[in-house]
Amino acid sequence: MRKEIVEQVIKNRDDFTIKSEVENLLKQMTLKEKIGQMYQAPYSATELVGPTWNNLDTEGLIKEGSVGSILSLSDLDSIYNLQKIAVEESRLGIPLFFAYDIIRGYKTIFPIPLAISSSWDTDLLEESCKIIAKESANSGLHMTFSPMVDLVRDPRWGRVMESHGEDPYLGSEIGKAYIRGFQQGDFSKRDAIAACIKHFIGYGASEGGRDYNNVDISRHSLFQYYLPPFKAGVLEGVASVMTSFNVFEGIPATANRYLLKDILRDKLGFDGVIISDYTSTTEIINHKIAADFKEVAQKCSHATLDIEMVGTSFIDELEAICDENPEYLELVDQAAARVLTLKYKMGLFDDPYKGMKDKGEKLYLLPEYREKAREMSEKSMVLLKNESLLPLNRETKIALIGPYADSKNVLGFWNGLGEEKDCISLLEGLKNAGFSNIEHLQMELDQSEVLDEKLFGEALTMASRADVVLLALGEHQFNIGEGASRTLLEFSESQKKLAQEIKKLDKKMALLSFTGRPLILDWFHENMDAVLQVWFLGSESGNAIGNILSGKKSPSGKLTMSFPQNQGQIPVYYNCLNTGRPLDRNNVHRFCSRYIDSSNEPLYPFGYGLTYGEIEYEKLKLDKREMTPEDSLEVSIQIKNTGSHEAEEIVQLYIEAETFSVSRPLKELKGFKRVKLKKNAVEKVIFKLTAEDLKFHNRDLEYVNESGKYKIYVGKNSRDTLVETIDFKNFI
Ligand code: GLC
């Protein structure tokens, strides 16, 4: 496999120093101790849920040098004590590193990643991740299992909440921002942490949207859609990569040498640590490619996996395997070397108690952290419909009704160490925003998502007294995330019934949708005056929504995942191929790619989102009609805010490849810019496209340019665009 030369710049002499230190340390280590670096132990069963494992004497294993790192431990005293055992009681005193799923916040909790991606604000995301890193690094943690960059197209999958949607380019830009914010160029720094990009690879394509289910995608799809965010993360210097639970070409990713060695290490040039997912090593027995732990250890080690998370096949079996088969010794040496190198880069050989001494809690939830979380939350919401209802006058008589009317349970899933008590409820946020005339009815929601219908009478009475009804409906926080795939993508029957009953009162109504995925909102789109996709926003939820509903801030978020009109359309995504019989919007005839009972179009397309402004697009211009690989193309457009509110518009640039050696998507996002527009303001927005932006994977999986025509689209979403054409002449 041709090694794609990633710029292997030795950042400073430290890389040479680290290399010699690691080689020196390896010479002193026993085989058992080297294998120990390849084991990540869960310390406290009470802190974890999930597949059980035999009760290990973790402290005893640390003393004998058989543990390299610890998973999901947050108690600072326990972290310090385990590190003390490793440093002072093991033979060589090699420090542990501590890792946790601080996906989008430690104590200051930011929106769920699907919401964060809807902000399209990579600068703000990078700043947010610096805060997340600071709270984490000062709480004894050295690595976060974030960002998750799985491309997703199926809202039935619970983990879409953790993703950044259906586009590889946007997913790449967002993944890089997380890494820059977490690692800050050098994660030995006091307030930085190592990032771990996941799940490598293809997990988001689980069949039926059912978690952990089979994945069957082509190598071409893998390279064209699923690989780009990982390639971008490797180029951004991500410290580690986590393998996924699924198979690829029938072999589980965790034991798949083609994926881990040929692609990740050899083709992308990744020289960091590859860590398994939680028991994804021993699960290859369930995948029926290993009969026992010995075969698990053989296959995962041969695939060049460095760390086994929770499973104990490496520490139980690898020593004997190496005795029987010396070729494994080299694999163990390489894995141990990568883990030790990571620890050097974490600064742990200089200060193994880094971040463990003075308690970090004085840093938690600082006002400036809350302010950043509020800004990200404001920018993450997506206004899907607004028939001149929002923003609301602060004197409006409001009936605030539903399970999220006054709930602090707005964290969603994968909440780090976030606590509900630190969250601002919607009612609190509306009051903080100056709304003075609110009646509210908080309705409890458990995982059945069935409301207490005895409260419906009170709800109707309250609604009948109001000018505007705000319906705060949603999913239960444990009905989203890992292990929470669902077959019915709608609000629960009782939530729908509540909405339908109130609708009969013929009041102005807005739906505030607290969900972790796209739901089918067709009835709400028809019957609400406004629809605001709120997601789960974390600590500053209520304040952010209050600022949007009051008009203090204009909504600016744009969807990064299409919202289907109905479940039958799934998967529906914007960057799809044209097919040999495309649906001709003018004259639908039988024999074309269509449904007999639905359109092909989503209810809300990728990139869609309204602001309080009225943004007009005009004067799309290209500075040339032909370009070569040496050229760059300047694309300019003029946008104007003719509305009565200032706004921030996310201007999007797409390409459509006309005729090339493989069929390419109808549209591909290749640029985006957030532009502030005061009332009546006019802005000229300029993009630059290069030959690199036009590359794609041909049938031989080479990343190439070819000569051909492109349409260049610029607009407010993937559907509503202006278009021009360019002819690309590839002379190479
Ligand atoms: C989970 C998830 C993974 C997470 C890991 C450690 O099963 O798949 O994303 O980082 O276990 O908690």
Side-chain angles (χ1 to χ4, degrees), residues 682-699:
V682 178
E683 287 287 341
K684 182 178 180 183
V685 183
I686 295 174
F687 294 93
K688 286 246 188 277
L689 272 181
T690 66
E692 188 65 26
D693 297 317
L694 304 180
K695 281 185 173 179
F696 66 102
H697 292 90
N698 63 16
R699 68 183 298 278

PDB file of all heavy atoms in Angstrom, residues 682-699:
ATOM      1  N   VAL A 682     -25.247  44.620   3.633  1.00  0.00           N
ATOM      2  CA  VAL A 682     -24.881  43.845   2.437  1.00  0.00           C
ATOM      3  C   VAL A 682     -23.446  43.388   2.607  1.00  0.00           C
ATOM      4  O   VAL A 682     -22.600  44.170   3.036  1.00  0.00           O
ATOM      5  CB  VAL A 682     -25.002  44.715   1.166  1.00  0.00           C
ATOM      6  CG1 VAL A 682     -24.572  43.921  -0.063  1.00  0.00           C
ATOM      7  CG2 VAL A 682     -26.434  45.222   1.011  1.00  0.00           C
ATOM      8  N   GLU A 683     -23.190  42.130   2.365  1.00  0.00           N
ATOM      9  CA  GLU A 683     -21.828  41.621   2.497  1.00  0.00           C
ATOM     10  C   GLU A 683     -21.457  40.832   1.241  1.00  0.00           C
ATOM     11  O   GLU A 683     -22.293  40.128   0.677  1.00  0.00           O
ATOM     12  CB  GLU A 683     -21.732  40.672   3.700  1.00  0.00           C
ATOM     13  CG  GLU A 683     -21.783  41.336   5.059  1.00  0.00           C
ATOM     14  CD  GLU A 683     -20.487  42.077   5.389  1.00  0.00           C
ATOM     15  OE1 GLU A 683     -19.447  41.777   4.749  1.00  0.00           O
ATOM     16  OE2 GLU A 683     -20.535  42.958   6.253  1.00  0.00           O
ATOM     17  N   LYS A 684     -20.207  40.966   0.842  1.00  0.00           N
ATOM     18  CA  LYS A 684     -19.688  40.120  -0.238  1.00  0.00           C
ATOM     19  C   LYS A 684     -18.891  39.009   0.425  1.00  0.00           C
ATOM     20  O   LYS A 684     -17.997  39.277   1.230  1.00  0.00           O
ATOM     21  CB  LYS A 684     -18.797  40.936  -1.174  1.00  0.00           C
ATOM     22  CG  LYS A 684     -18.257  40.140  -2.356  1.00  0.00           C
ATOM     23  CD  LYS A 684     -17.426  41.014  -3.281  1.00  0.00           C
ATOM     24  CE  LYS A 684     -16.878  40.223  -4.470  1.00  0.00           C
ATOM     25  NZ  LYS A 684     -16.002  41.065  -5.341  1.00  0.00           N
ATOM     26  N   VAL A 685     -19.230  37.785   0.119  1.00  0.00           N
ATOM     27  CA  VAL A 685     -18.575  36.629   0.743  1.00  0.00           C
ATOM     28  C   VAL A 685     -17.720  35.943  -0.310  1.00  0.00           C
ATOM     29  O   VAL A 685     -18.190  35.695  -1.438  1.00  0.00           O
ATOM     30  CB  VAL A 685     -19.610  35.638   1.301  1.00  0.00           C
ATOM     31  CG1 VAL A 685     -18.932  34.466   2.005  1.00  0.00           C
ATOM     32  CG2 VAL A 685     -20.564  36.365   2.265  1.00  0.00           C
ATOM     33  N   ILE A 686     -16.468  35.682   0.016  1.00  0.00           N
ATOM     34  CA  ILE A 686     -15.543  35.095  -0.957  1.00  0.00           C
ATOM     35  C   ILE A 686     -15.018  33.744  -0.467  1.00  0.00           C
ATOM     36  O   ILE A 686     -14.612  33.598   0.680  1.00  0.00           O
ATOM     37  CB  ILE A 686     -14.355  36.056  -1.201  1.00  0.00           C
ATOM     38  CG1 ILE A 686     -14.876  37.342  -1.859  1.00  0.00           C
ATOM     39  CG2 ILE A 686     -13.300  35.406  -2.104  1.00  0.00           C
ATOM     40  CD1 ILE A 686     -13.836  38.426  -2.028  1.00  0.00           C
ATOM     41  N   PHE A 687     -15.082  32.772  -1.350  1.00  0.00           N
ATOM     42  CA  PHE A 687     -14.510  31.441  -1.085  1.00  0.00           C
ATOM     43  C   PHE A 687     -13.371  31.211  -2.071  1.00  0.00           C
ATOM     44  O   PHE A 687     -13.378  31.768  -3.183  1.00  0.00           O
ATOM     45  CB  PHE A 687     -15.550  30.342  -1.317  1.00  0.00           C
ATOM     46  CG  PHE A 687     -16.717  30.353  -0.370  1.00  0.00           C
ATOM     47  CD1 PHE A 687     -17.887  31.027  -0.693  1.00  0.00           C
ATOM     48  CD2 PHE A 687     -16.652  29.678   0.841  1.00  0.00           C
ATOM     49  CE1 PHE A 687     -18.978  31.026   0.168  1.00  0.00           C
ATOM     50  CE2 PHE A 687     -17.743  29.663   1.702  1.00  0.00           C
ATOM     51  CZ  PHE A 687     -18.906  30.351   1.364  1.00  0.00           C
ATOM     52  N   LYS A 688     -12.423  30.379  -1.691  1.00  0.00           N
ATOM     53  CA  LYS A 688     -11.375  29.942  -2.613  1.00  0.00           C
ATOM     54  C   LYS A 688     -11.450  28.427  -2.744  1.00  0.00           C
ATOM     55  O   LYS A 688     -11.506  27.720  -1.718  1.00  0.00           O
ATOM     56  CB  LYS A 688      -9.999  30.331  -2.058  1.00  0.00           C
ATOM     57  CG  LYS A 688      -9.688  31.828  -2.160  1.00  0.00           C
ATOM     58  CD  LYS A 688      -8.529  32.054  -3.141  1.00  0.00           C
ATOM     59  CE  LYS A 688      -8.072  33.507  -3.121  1.00  0.00           C
ATOM     60  NZ  LYS A 688      -8.930  34.339  -4.007  1.00  0.00           N
ATOM     61  N   LEU A 689     -11.480  27.945  -3.964  1.00  0.00           N
ATOM     62  CA  LEU A 689     -11.454  26.502  -4.214  1.00  0.00           C
ATOM     63  C   LEU A 689     -10.156  26.149  -4.920  1.00  0.00           C
ATOM     64  O   LEU A 689      -9.759  26.867  -5.853  1.00  0.00           O
ATOM     65  CB  LEU A 689     -12.641  26.100  -5.104  1.00  0.00           C
ATOM     66  CG  LEU A 689     -13.970  25.759  -4.438  1.00  0.00           C
ATOM     67  CD1 LEU A 689     -14.983  25.363  -5.508  1.00  0.00           C
ATOM     68  CD2 LEU A 689     -13.810  24.633  -3.422  1.00  0.00           C
ATOM     69  N   THR A 690      -9.518  25.071  -4.506  1.00  0.00           N
ATOM     70  CA  THR A 690      -8.297  24.633  -5.182  1.00  0.00           C
ATOM     71  C   THR A 690      -8.521  23.235  -5.762  1.00  0.00           C
ATOM     72  O   THR A 690      -9.543  22.598  -5.493  1.00  0.00           O
ATOM     73  CB  THR A 690      -7.130  24.534  -4.174  1.00  0.00           C
ATOM     74  OG1 THR A 690      -7.452  23.464  -3.253  1.00  0.00           O
ATOM     75  CG2 THR A 690      -6.947  25.847  -3.424  1.00  0.00           C
ATOM     76  N   ALA A 691      -7.523  22.785  -6.507  1.00  0.00           N
ATOM     77  CA  ALA A 691      -7.609  21.430  -7.087  1.00  0.00           C
ATOM     78  C   ALA A 691      -7.781  20.386  -5.983  1.00  0.00           C
ATOM     79  O   ALA A 691      -8.511  19.407  -6.134  1.00  0.00           O
ATOM     80  CB  ALA A 691      -6.359  21.140  -7.901  1.00  0.00           C
ATOM     81  N   GLU A 692      -7.170  20.660  -4.818  1.00  0.00           N
ATOM     82  CA  GLU A 692      -7.267  19.709  -3.698  1.00  0.00           C
ATOM     83  C   GLU A 692      -8.725  19.520  -3.277  1.00  0.00           C
ATOM     84  O   GLU A 692      -9.155  18.432  -2.945  1.00  0.00           O
ATOM     85  CB  GLU A 692      -6.434  20.229  -2.518  1.00  0.00           C
ATOM     86  CG  GLU A 692      -6.274  19.264  -1.358  1.00  0.00           C
ATOM     87  CD  GLU A 692      -5.487  17.997  -1.714  1.00  0.00           C
ATOM     88  OE1 GLU A 692      -4.656  18.054  -2.657  1.00  0.00           O
ATOM     89  OE2 GLU A 692      -5.722  16.956  -1.077  1.00  0.00           O
ATOM     90  N   ASP A 693      -9.487  20.631  -3.340  1.00  0.00           N
ATOM     91  CA  ASP A 693     -10.897  20.564  -2.924  1.00  0.00           C
ATOM     92  C   ASP A 693     -11.728  19.718  -3.893  1.00  0.00           C
ATOM     93  O   ASP A 693     -12.825  19.288  -3.548  1.00  0.00           O
ATOM     94  CB  ASP A 693     -11.498  21.981  -2.894  1.00  0.00           C
ATOM     95  CG  ASP A 693     -10.809  22.862  -1.869  1.00  0.00           C
ATOM     96  OD1 ASP A 693     -10.560  22.359  -0.753  1.00  0.00           O
ATOM     97  OD2 ASP A 693     -10.485  24.015  -2.179  1.00  0.00           O
ATOM     98  N   LEU A 694     -11.216  19.536  -5.122  1.00  0.00           N
ATOM     99  CA  LEU A 694     -11.992  18.824  -6.145  1.00  0.00           C
ATOM    100  C   LEU A 694     -11.601  17.352  -6.242  1.00  0.00           C
ATOM    101  O   LEU A 694     -12.145  16.607  -7.048  1.00  0.00           O
ATOM    102  CB  LEU A 694     -11.788  19.509  -7.509  1.00  0.00           C
ATOM    103  CG  LEU A 694     -12.116  21.008  -7.565  1.00  0.00           C
ATOM    104  CD1 LEU A 694     -11.871  21.551  -8.969  1.00  0.00           C
ATOM    105  CD2 LEU A 694     -13.559  21.269  -7.127  1.00  0.00           C
ATOM    106  N   LYS A 695     -10.641  16.947  -5.413  1.00  0.00           N
ATOM    107  CA  LYS A 695     -10.189  15.548  -5.492  1.00  0.00           C
ATOM    108  C   LYS A 695     -11.278  14.593  -4.997  1.00  0.00           C
ATOM    109  O   LYS A 695     -12.150  14.961  -4.209  1.00  0.00           O
ATOM    110  CB  LYS A 695      -8.929  15.348  -4.637  1.00  0.00           C
ATOM    111  CG  LYS A 695      -7.662  15.852  -5.313  1.00  0.00           C
ATOM    112  CD  LYS A 695      -6.437  15.522  -4.492  1.00  0.00           C
ATOM    113  CE  LYS A 695      -5.154  15.873  -5.246  1.00  0.00           C
ATOM    114  NZ  LYS A 695      -3.951  15.570  -4.431  1.00  0.00           N
ATOM    115  N   PHE A 696     -11.158  13.352  -5.448  1.00  0.00           N
ATOM    116  CA  PHE A 696     -12.076  12.293  -5.009  1.00  0.00           C
ATOM    117  C   PHE A 696     -11.354  10.961  -5.143  1.00  0.00           C
ATOM    118  O   PHE A 696     -10.262  10.879  -5.707  1.00  0.00           O
ATOM    119  CB  PHE A 696     -13.338  12.312  -5.871  1.00  0.00           C
ATOM    120  CG  PHE A 696     -13.083  11.954  -7.313  1.00  0.00           C
ATOM    121  CD1 PHE A 696     -13.395  10.698  -7.800  1.00  0.00           C
ATOM    122  CD2 PHE A 696     -12.511  12.880  -8.179  1.00  0.00           C
ATOM    123  CE1 PHE A 696     -13.144  10.361  -9.123  1.00  0.00           C
ATOM    124  CE2 PHE A 696     -12.251  12.555  -9.509  1.00  0.00           C
ATOM    125  CZ  PHE A 696     -12.564  11.290  -9.994  1.00  0.00           C
ATOM    126  N   HIS A 697     -11.980   9.912  -4.609  1.00  0.00           N
ATOM    127  CA  HIS A 697     -11.359   8.582  -4.707  1.00  0.00           C
ATOM    128  C   HIS A 697     -11.883   7.896  -5.965  1.00  0.00           C
ATOM    129  O   HIS A 697     -13.090   7.746  -6.142  1.00  0.00           O
ATOM    130  CB  HIS A 697     -11.684   7.751  -3.467  1.00  0.00           C
ATOM    131  CG  HIS A 697     -11.036   8.291  -2.240  1.00  0.00           C
ATOM    132  ND1 HIS A 697     -11.646   9.226  -1.417  1.00  0.00           N
ATOM    133  CD2 HIS A 697      -9.806   8.084  -1.706  1.00  0.00           C
ATOM    134  CE1 HIS A 697     -10.825   9.542  -0.411  1.00  0.00           C
ATOM    135  NE2 HIS A 697      -9.704   8.857  -0.565  1.00  0.00           N
ATOM    136  N   ASN A 698     -10.941   7.495  -6.845  1.00  0.00           N
ATOM    137  CA  ASN A 698     -11.385   6.773  -8.043  1.00  0.00           C
ATOM    138  C   ASN A 698     -11.614   5.304  -7.686  1.00  0.00           C
ATOM    139  O   ASN A 698     -11.518   4.911  -6.525  1.00  0.00           O
ATOM    140  CB  ASN A 698     -10.348   6.933  -9.166  1.00  0.00           C
ATOM    141  CG  ASN A 698      -8.999   6.299  -8.784  1.00  0.00           C
ATOM    142  OD1 ASN A 698      -8.912   5.496  -7.849  1.00  0.00           O
ATOM    143  ND2 ASN A 698      -7.958   6.692  -9.504  1.00  0.00           N
ATOM    144  N   ARG A 699     -11.900   4.500  -8.686  1.00  0.00           N
ATOM    145  CA  ARG A 699     -12.268   3.103  -8.389  1.00  0.00           C
ATOM    146  C   ARG A 699     -11.109   2.342  -7.769  1.00  0.00           C
ATOM    147  O   ARG A 699     -11.292   1.326  -7.124  1.00  0.00           O
ATOM    148  CB  ARG A 699     -12.775   2.390  -9.634  1.00  0.00           C
ATOM    149  CG  ARG A 699     -11.738   2.157 -10.709  1.00  0.00           C
ATOM    150  CD  ARG A 699     -12.374   1.520 -11.925  1.00  0.00           C
ATOM    151  NE  ARG A 699     -12.936   0.225 -11.617  1.00  0.00           N
ATOM    152  CZ  ARG A 699     -12.220  -0.909 -11.572  1.00  0.00           C
ATOM    153  NH1 ARG A 699     -10.908  -0.857 -11.775  1.00  0.00           N
ATOM    154  NH2 ARG A 699     -12.795  -2.059 -11.309  1.00  0.00           N
TER     155      ARG A 699
END
